[in-house]
Amino acid sequence: MAKIQLNGRKLEINNKHSITTLLKKYKINGKKIAVELNGKIINRNKYNLIYIKNKDRIEIVYFIGGG
Amino acid sequence: MKKDIFEIGGQILKSRLIVGTGKYKDFKETAKAVKASDASMVTVAVRRVNILDKKKSLLTDYLNPKKIKYLPNTAGCFTADESLRTLRLARELGGWKMVKLEVLGDKKTLYPDMIETLKATKVLVKEGFKVLVYCSDDPLLAKELEYLGACAVMPLASPIGSGQGIQNKINLSIIIKNAKVPIIVDAGIGTPSDAAIAMELGCDGVLVNSAIAKAGNPVLMAESFKNAVISGRQSFQAVRMKKLLYADASSPSRGLI
Protein backbone atom coordinates (compact mmCIF):
# COMPACT_ATOMS: atom_id res chain seq x y z
CA MET A 1 0.00 0.00 0.00
CA ALA A 2 1.08 3.59 -0.63
CA LYS A 3 0.36 6.38 1.85
CA ILE A 4 -0.43 9.46 -0.20
CA GLN A 5 -1.93 12.86 0.14
CA LEU A 6 -4.65 13.54 -2.41
CA ASN A 7 -6.10 17.06 -2.53
CA GLY A 8 -5.05 17.60 1.06
CA ARG A 9 -6.57 14.31 2.24
CA LYS A 10 -4.39 11.52 3.66
CA LEU A 11 -5.19 8.22 1.97
CA GLU A 12 -3.83 4.71 1.53
CA ILE A 13 -4.09 3.25 -1.92
CA ASN A 14 -2.87 0.22 -3.77
CA ASN A 15 0.60 1.00 -5.07
CA LYS A 16 -0.19 -0.29 -8.53
CA HIS A 17 -2.13 2.84 -9.40
CA SER A 18 -1.11 5.04 -12.29
CA ILE A 19 -2.56 8.55 -12.45
CA THR A 20 -5.04 7.27 -15.04
CA THR A 21 -6.34 4.49 -12.79
CA LEU A 22 -6.40 6.80 -9.79
CA LEU A 23 -8.64 9.19 -11.74
CA LYS A 24 -10.84 6.28 -12.76
CA LYS A 25 -11.12 5.15 -9.12
CA TYR A 26 -12.54 8.55 -8.19
CA LYS A 27 -14.60 8.87 -11.38
CA ILE A 28 -12.74 11.95 -12.55
CA ASN A 29 -12.70 12.87 -16.24
CA GLY A 30 -9.02 13.25 -17.08
CA LYS A 31 -9.76 15.76 -19.84
CA LYS A 32 -11.28 18.30 -17.48
CA ILE A 33 -8.64 18.45 -14.78
CA ALA A 34 -4.97 19.18 -14.23
CA VAL A 35 -2.68 17.13 -12.02
CA GLU A 36 0.21 18.26 -9.91
CA LEU A 37 2.44 15.55 -8.44
CA ASN A 38 4.82 16.61 -5.67
CA GLY A 39 4.67 20.20 -6.88
CA LYS A 40 5.23 19.38 -10.55
CA ILE A 41 2.52 19.66 -13.20
CA ILE A 42 2.04 16.42 -15.08
CA ASN A 43 1.33 16.55 -18.81
CA ARG A 44 -1.97 14.77 -19.43
CA ASN A 45 -0.37 12.50 -22.05
CA LYS A 46 1.72 10.96 -19.28
CA TYR A 47 -1.07 10.04 -16.85
CA ASN A 48 -0.89 6.37 -17.78
CA LEU A 49 2.92 6.25 -17.55
CA ILE A 50 3.30 7.65 -14.05
CA TYR A 51 2.68 5.40 -11.05
CA ILE A 52 1.78 6.62 -7.60
CA LYS A 53 4.44 6.01 -4.95
CA ASN A 54 4.46 6.11 -1.17
CA LYS A 55 4.44 9.67 0.24
CA ASP A 56 3.31 11.24 -3.05
CA ARG A 57 1.40 14.50 -2.78
CA ILE A 58 -1.17 14.81 -5.52
CA GLU A 59 -3.36 17.76 -6.40
CA ILE A 60 -6.18 17.42 -8.90
CA VAL A 61 -7.79 20.70 -9.89
CA TYR A 62 -10.51 21.92 -12.20
CA PHE A 63 -12.30 25.12 -13.17
CA ILE A 64 -15.11 26.34 -10.97
CA GLY A 65 -17.12 29.54 -10.91
CA GLY A 66 -15.09 32.57 -9.86
CA GLY A 67 -14.86 36.32 -10.30
CA MET B 1 -16.87 55.74 -38.18
CA LYS B 2 -14.10 53.19 -37.70
CA LYS B 3 -15.21 49.75 -36.57
CA ASP B 4 -14.97 49.54 -32.80
CA ILE B 5 -12.73 46.58 -32.08
CA PHE B 6 -11.94 45.35 -28.60
CA GLU B 7 -8.72 43.41 -28.60
CA ILE B 8 -6.78 41.94 -25.69
CA GLY B 9 -3.47 40.21 -26.28
CA GLY B 10 -4.30 39.53 -29.93
CA GLN B 11 -7.73 38.16 -29.04
CA ILE B 12 -10.73 40.03 -30.43
CA LEU B 13 -13.71 40.07 -28.09
CA LYS B 14 -17.22 40.82 -29.30
CA SER B 15 -18.35 42.26 -26.00
CA ARG B 16 -16.65 44.78 -23.73
CA LEU B 17 -18.36 43.19 -20.78
CA ILE B 18 -16.47 40.37 -19.09
CA VAL B 19 -18.39 38.52 -16.41
CA GLY B 20 -17.37 36.45 -13.45
CA THR B 21 -18.95 33.07 -12.77
CA GLY B 22 -18.79 33.01 -8.96
CA LYS B 23 -21.50 33.48 -6.32
CA TYR B 24 -24.43 32.17 -8.40
CA LYS B 25 -27.13 29.92 -6.95
CA ASP B 26 -26.15 27.10 -9.30
CA PHE B 27 -24.51 26.44 -12.67
CA LYS B 28 -27.86 26.72 -14.43
CA GLU B 29 -28.30 30.28 -13.24
CA THR B 30 -24.66 31.04 -14.09
CA ALA B 31 -25.18 29.87 -17.66
CA LYS B 32 -28.41 31.84 -18.07
CA ALA B 33 -26.87 35.05 -16.73
CA VAL B 34 -23.75 34.68 -18.88
CA LYS B 35 -25.95 34.21 -21.94
CA ALA B 36 -28.04 37.27 -21.09
CA SER B 37 -24.88 39.35 -20.56
CA ASP B 38 -23.69 38.45 -24.08
CA ALA B 39 -20.13 38.37 -22.70
CA SER B 40 -17.59 36.56 -24.82
CA MET B 41 -15.18 35.99 -21.95
CA VAL B 42 -15.81 34.75 -18.39
CA THR B 43 -13.51 34.51 -15.42
CA VAL B 44 -13.16 31.17 -13.65
CA ALA B 45 -11.29 29.95 -10.61
CA VAL B 46 -8.99 26.93 -10.22
CA ARG B 47 -9.81 24.71 -7.25
CA ARG B 48 -9.30 21.20 -5.93
CA VAL B 49 -11.70 18.58 -7.26
CA ASN B 50 -13.87 17.24 -4.46
CA ILE B 51 -12.81 13.61 -4.72
CA LEU B 52 -15.69 12.40 -2.51
CA ASP B 53 -18.42 14.06 -4.57
CA LYS B 54 -19.73 11.32 -6.83
CA LYS B 55 -21.89 13.57 -9.02
CA LYS B 56 -19.18 16.08 -9.86
CA SER B 57 -21.26 18.66 -11.66
CA LEU B 58 -18.86 20.73 -13.73
CA LEU B 59 -18.91 24.36 -14.81
CA THR B 60 -17.67 23.22 -18.21
CA ASP B 61 -20.89 21.20 -18.65
CA TYR B 62 -22.87 24.44 -18.48
CA LEU B 63 -20.48 26.91 -20.12
CA ASN B 64 -18.71 25.39 -23.08
CA PRO B 65 -15.10 26.67 -23.14
CA LYS B 66 -15.12 26.19 -26.91
CA LYS B 67 -17.91 28.75 -27.21
CA ILE B 68 -16.99 31.20 -24.50
CA LYS B 69 -13.47 32.16 -23.56
CA TYR B 70 -12.39 31.12 -20.08
CA LEU B 71 -10.14 33.52 -18.24
CA PRO B 72 -8.66 31.65 -15.26
CA ASN B 73 -7.99 33.83 -12.25
CA THR B 74 -5.87 33.53 -9.13
CA ALA B 75 -8.55 34.60 -6.67
CA GLY B 76 -7.62 33.55 -3.17
CA CYS B 77 -3.87 33.75 -3.78
CA PHE B 78 -1.89 35.98 -1.43
CA THR B 79 1.63 35.55 -2.84
CA ALA B 80 3.29 35.63 -6.24
CA ASP B 81 4.28 31.97 -5.84
CA GLU B 82 0.71 30.81 -5.10
CA SER B 83 -0.54 32.74 -8.13
CA LEU B 84 2.12 31.31 -10.41
CA ARG B 85 1.32 27.78 -9.27
CA THR B 86 -2.40 28.34 -9.91
CA LEU B 87 -1.92 29.82 -13.36
CA ARG B 88 0.52 27.15 -14.48
CA LEU B 89 -2.11 24.58 -13.52
CA ALA B 90 -4.75 26.65 -15.32
CA ARG B 91 -2.64 26.62 -18.47
CA GLU B 92 -2.40 22.82 -18.33
CA LEU B 93 -6.10 22.60 -17.54
CA GLY B 94 -7.42 24.86 -20.25
CA GLY B 95 -4.65 24.73 -22.79
CA TRP B 96 -4.49 28.49 -23.27
CA LYS B 97 -2.26 31.26 -22.04
CA MET B 98 -4.58 34.15 -21.33
CA VAL B 99 -5.05 34.53 -17.58
CA LYS B 100 -6.08 37.02 -14.95
CA LEU B 101 -3.59 37.66 -12.20
CA GLU B 102 -4.79 38.89 -8.86
CA VAL B 103 -2.57 38.72 -5.82
CA LEU B 104 -4.44 39.76 -2.73
CA GLY B 105 -2.80 41.58 0.12
CA ASP B 106 -5.44 41.70 2.79
CA LYS B 107 -8.39 39.44 3.63
CA LYS B 108 -10.73 42.21 4.70
CA THR B 109 -10.33 44.60 1.78
CA LEU B 110 -9.09 42.07 -0.81
CA TYR B 111 -6.89 44.94 -1.91
CA PRO B 112 -4.15 43.84 -4.31
CA ASP B 113 -0.62 43.30 -3.03
CA MET B 114 1.11 45.28 -5.75
CA ILE B 115 4.64 44.19 -4.83
CA GLU B 116 3.75 40.53 -5.30
CA THR B 117 1.60 41.41 -8.33
CA LEU B 118 4.54 43.08 -10.11
CA LYS B 119 6.77 40.12 -9.25
CA ALA B 120 4.29 37.58 -10.61
CA THR B 121 3.56 39.62 -13.76
CA LYS B 122 7.23 39.63 -14.66
CA VAL B 123 7.50 35.83 -14.37
CA LEU B 124 4.24 35.15 -16.21
CA VAL B 125 5.18 37.37 -19.15
CA LYS B 126 8.55 35.60 -19.33
CA GLU B 127 6.77 32.24 -19.40
CA GLY B 128 4.66 33.36 -22.36
CA PHE B 129 1.39 34.01 -20.55
CA LYS B 130 -0.94 36.76 -21.70
CA VAL B 131 -1.71 38.43 -18.44
CA LEU B 132 -4.58 40.68 -17.46
CA VAL B 133 -3.66 42.16 -14.13
CA TYR B 134 -5.96 43.20 -11.29
CA CYS B 135 -4.38 46.19 -9.60
CA SER B 136 -4.86 49.23 -7.42
CA ASP B 137 -5.94 52.47 -9.12
CA ASP B 138 -2.44 53.94 -8.87
CA PRO B 139 -1.51 55.46 -12.25
CA LEU B 140 2.21 54.79 -11.80
CA LEU B 141 1.77 51.14 -10.92
CA ALA B 142 -0.71 50.68 -13.76
CA LYS B 143 1.91 52.03 -16.17
CA GLU B 144 4.56 49.80 -14.60
CA LEU B 145 2.40 46.75 -15.30
CA GLU B 146 2.18 47.83 -18.91
CA TYR B 147 5.99 48.15 -19.08
CA LEU B 148 6.31 44.67 -17.63
CA GLY B 149 4.20 43.30 -20.47
CA ALA B 150 0.68 42.96 -19.07
CA CYS B 151 -1.74 42.66 -22.00
CA ALA B 152 -4.45 44.49 -20.06
CA VAL B 153 -4.51 46.41 -16.81
CA MET B 154 -7.47 46.00 -14.48
CA PRO B 155 -7.71 48.67 -11.81
CA LEU B 156 -10.32 48.27 -9.10
CA ALA B 157 -13.26 50.66 -8.91
CA SER B 158 -13.70 49.87 -5.18
CA PRO B 159 -13.12 46.73 -3.06
CA ILE B 160 -14.00 43.37 -4.65
CA GLY B 161 -17.65 42.43 -4.11
CA SER B 162 -18.43 45.70 -2.32
CA GLY B 163 -20.70 47.16 -4.99
CA GLN B 164 -19.44 50.62 -4.08
CA GLY B 165 -18.94 51.74 -7.67
CA ILE B 166 -16.12 53.93 -8.98
CA GLN B 167 -14.52 55.70 -6.06
CA ASN B 168 -11.67 57.44 -7.82
CA LYS B 169 -12.66 58.71 -11.23
CA ILE B 170 -9.62 60.96 -11.44
CA ASN B 171 -7.10 58.16 -10.99
CA LEU B 172 -9.02 55.98 -13.38
CA SER B 173 -9.05 58.76 -15.99
CA ILE B 174 -5.29 59.26 -15.62
CA ILE B 175 -4.69 55.53 -15.99
CA ILE B 176 -6.84 55.46 -19.14
CA LYS B 177 -5.13 58.52 -20.63
CA ASN B 178 -1.64 57.07 -20.08
CA ALA B 179 -2.37 53.54 -21.24
CA LYS B 180 -1.39 51.81 -24.45
CA VAL B 181 -3.00 48.53 -23.39
CA PRO B 182 -6.69 47.99 -22.64
CA ILE B 183 -7.90 49.22 -19.27
CA ILE B 184 -10.66 47.10 -17.79
CA VAL B 185 -12.32 48.15 -14.58
CA ASP B 186 -12.36 45.19 -12.29
CA ALA B 187 -14.01 44.94 -8.89
CA GLY B 188 -16.48 47.12 -7.05
CA ILE B 189 -18.99 47.76 -9.83
CA GLY B 190 -22.41 47.74 -8.18
CA THR B 191 -24.89 48.74 -10.84
CA PRO B 192 -25.11 49.02 -14.61
CA SER B 193 -24.84 52.81 -14.25
CA ASP B 194 -21.40 52.30 -12.60
CA ALA B 195 -20.38 50.26 -15.63
CA ALA B 196 -21.71 52.94 -17.97
CA ILE B 197 -19.68 55.58 -16.12
CA ALA B 198 -16.53 53.46 -16.43
CA MET B 199 -17.12 53.14 -20.16
CA GLU B 200 -17.88 56.87 -20.51
CA LEU B 201 -14.58 57.63 -18.82
CA GLY B 202 -12.94 55.69 -21.63
CA CYS B 203 -12.34 52.27 -20.12
CA ASP B 204 -11.98 49.57 -22.74
CA GLY B 205 -14.11 47.12 -20.81
CA VAL B 206 -15.52 46.17 -17.43
CA LEU B 207 -15.48 42.98 -15.43
CA VAL B 208 -18.58 42.30 -13.34
CA ASN B 209 -19.42 39.41 -11.07
CA SER B 210 -21.14 40.16 -7.74
CA ALA B 211 -23.36 42.93 -9.13
CA ILE B 212 -24.98 40.37 -11.42
CA ALA B 213 -24.80 37.23 -9.29
CA LYS B 214 -26.09 38.94 -6.13
CA ALA B 215 -28.87 40.89 -7.87
CA GLY B 216 -32.51 40.05 -7.12
CA ASN B 217 -32.82 38.82 -10.68
CA PRO B 218 -29.33 37.96 -11.96
CA VAL B 219 -30.44 37.17 -15.51
CA LEU B 220 -32.26 40.47 -15.96
CA MET B 221 -29.35 42.32 -14.33
CA ALA B 222 -26.92 40.63 -16.73
CA GLU B 223 -28.92 41.97 -19.66
CA SER B 224 -29.00 45.42 -18.09
CA PHE B 225 -25.19 45.34 -17.78
CA LYS B 226 -24.91 44.36 -21.41
CA ASN B 227 -26.95 47.40 -22.41
CA ALA B 228 -25.11 49.72 -20.00
CA VAL B 229 -21.69 48.77 -21.34
CA ILE B 230 -22.81 49.27 -24.93
CA SER B 231 -24.47 52.55 -23.98
CA GLY B 232 -21.43 53.82 -22.06
CA ARG B 233 -19.12 52.94 -24.92
CA GLN B 234 -21.34 54.71 -27.46
CA SER B 235 -21.46 57.74 -25.20
CA PHE B 236 -17.66 57.81 -24.96
CA GLN B 237 -17.31 57.58 -28.73
CA ALA B 238 -19.98 60.22 -29.31
CA VAL B 239 -18.02 62.64 -27.03
CA ARG B 240 -20.12 64.30 -24.37
CA MET B 241 -21.20 67.96 -24.46
CA LYS B 242 -19.11 70.58 -22.67
CA LYS B 243 -20.16 71.39 -19.12
CA LEU B 244 -21.28 74.99 -18.62
CA LEU B 245 -21.49 77.02 -15.47
CA TYR B 246 -24.76 78.74 -16.42
CA ALA B 247 -27.92 77.69 -18.22
CA ASP B 248 -28.16 77.61 -22.00
CA ALA B 249 -31.80 77.47 -23.18
CA SER B 250 -32.67 74.59 -25.48
CA SER B 251 -35.47 76.48 -27.29
CA PRO B 252 -34.50 79.41 -29.53
CA SER B 253 -35.38 82.90 -28.34
CA ARG B 254 -35.99 84.08 -31.96
CA GLY B 255 -39.68 84.28 -32.78
CA LEU B 256 -40.64 84.36 -29.14
CA ILE B 257 -44.14 85.87 -28.71
Side-chain angles (χ1 to χ4, degrees):
Chain A
M1 296 298 273
K3 282 184 185 174
I4 62 162
Q5 194 170 310
L6 178 58
N7 282 6
R9 204 176 274 274
K10 282 183 183 155
L11 296 169
E12 269 192 46
I13 59 157
N14 188 316
N15 49 10
K16 281 180 183 152
H17 271 298
S18 67
I19 294 176
T20 305
T21 63
L22 184 75
L23 294 176
K24 236 178 229 163
K25 177 178 159 72
Y26 288 102
K27 297 189 169 50
I28 296 167
N29 181 345
K31 285 181 186 147
K32 295 183 171 178
I33 50 111
V35 176
E36 190 192 74
L37 176 63
N38 302 323
K40 215 178 127 198
I41 294 170
I42 305 298
N43 185 301
R44 65 182 75 245
N45 300 325
K46 293 188 177 153
Y47 289 170
N48 58 345
L49 303 174
I50 294 174
Y51 281 79
I52 308 298
K53 304 182 306 299
N54 198 30
K55 292 186 181 169
D56 273 350
R57 281 175 298 111
I58 305 153
E59 293 285 349
I60 304 172
V61 298
Y62 65 160
F63 286 135
I64 65 152
Chain B
M1 211 171 91
K2 233 173 58 187
K3 202 160 178 250
D4 187 32
I5 290 171
F6 180 34
E7 188 183 327
I8 306 175
Q11 185 83 31
I12 292 172
L13 298 177
K14 254 186 9 213
S15 170
R16 292 178 178 270
L17 173 62
I18 301 169
V19 295
T21 54
K23 293 185 175 171
Y24 284 95
K25 193 175 72 193
D26 50 34
F27 286 146
K28 226 172 164 178
E29 189 183 70
T30 316
K32 273 190 189 165
V34 169
K35 191 162 183 248
S37 77
D38 208 23
S40 30
M41 186 149 82
V42 295
T43 56
V44 294
V46 178
R47 290 291 181 272
R48 281 173 169 165
V49 171
N50 180 356
I51 50 171
L52 299 180
D53 176 13
K54 293 274 184 289
K55 280 187 283 175
K56 291 189 184 61
S57 185
L58 298 173
L59 179 69
T60 43
D61 295 337
Y62 291 81
L63 285 174
N64 185 349
K66 285 188 181 125
K67 290 190 178 151
I68 191 151
K69 196 155 176 57
Y70 273 30
L71 181 69
N73 70 19
T74 60
C77 293
F78 284 81
T79 63
D81 284 344
E82 286 170 18
S83 309
L84 293 171
R85 183 185 184 198
T86 301
L87 292 179
R88 286 168 186 149
L89 276 164
R91 178 167 58 181
E92 175 65 20
L93 189 46
W96 51 83
K97 291 180 173 179
M98 192 171 281
V99 293
K100 180 191 157 192
L101 172 70
E102 59 178 276
V103 190
L104 305 172
D106 171 52
K107 280 192 174 142
K108 202 163 180 178
T109 59
L110 298 181
Y111 211 71
D113 181 330
M114 289 309 297
I115 297 167
E116 291 293 296
T117 300
L118 293 168
K119 232 194 273 177
T121 303
K122 215 184 267 181
V123 178
L124 288 167
V125 169
K126 206 171 162 194
E127 290 183 12
F129 282 91
K130 293 191 166 158
V131 206
L132 290 78
V133 191
Y134 166 62
C135 60
S136 59
D137 59 7
D138 180 321
L140 300 182
L141 290 174
K143 199 65 195 169
E144 183 65 22
L145 287 170
E146 187 183 314
Y147 286 139
L148 290 178
C151 71
V153 173
M154 308 177 89
L156 52 78
S158 50
I160 293 176
S162 71
Q164 292 286 349
I166 301 166
Q167 290 302 311
N168 200 338
K169 279 196 205 172
I170 296 175
N171 275 21
L172 201 52
S173 300
I174 296 172
I175 291 172
I176 292 163
K177 208 168 164 45
N178 288 342
K180 290 204 175 64
V181 294
I183 300 298
I184 300 163
V185 162
D186 179 9
I189 296 282
T191 59
S193 56
D194 293 334
I197 290 170
M199 296 308 293
E200 282 185 330
L201 288 173
C203 281
D204 297 278
V206 292
L207 170 53
V208 183
N209 191 159
S210 304
I212 297 174
K214 301 316 271 177
N217 181 339
V219 179
L220 185 59
M221 190 57 92
E223 192 180 342
S224 177
F225 266 102
K226 172 185 92 173
N227 294 329
V229 169
I230 293 170
S231 181
R233 178 66 184 174
Q234 286 173 332
S235 167
F236 171 71
Q237 289 180 303
V239 184
R240 64 153 295 151
M241 66 166 283
K242 290 256 177 324
K243 283 185 187 180
L244 304 171
L245 187 57
Y246 293 109
D248 180 26
S250 299
S251 305
S253 51
R254 199 163 56 93
L256 192 68
I257 47 168

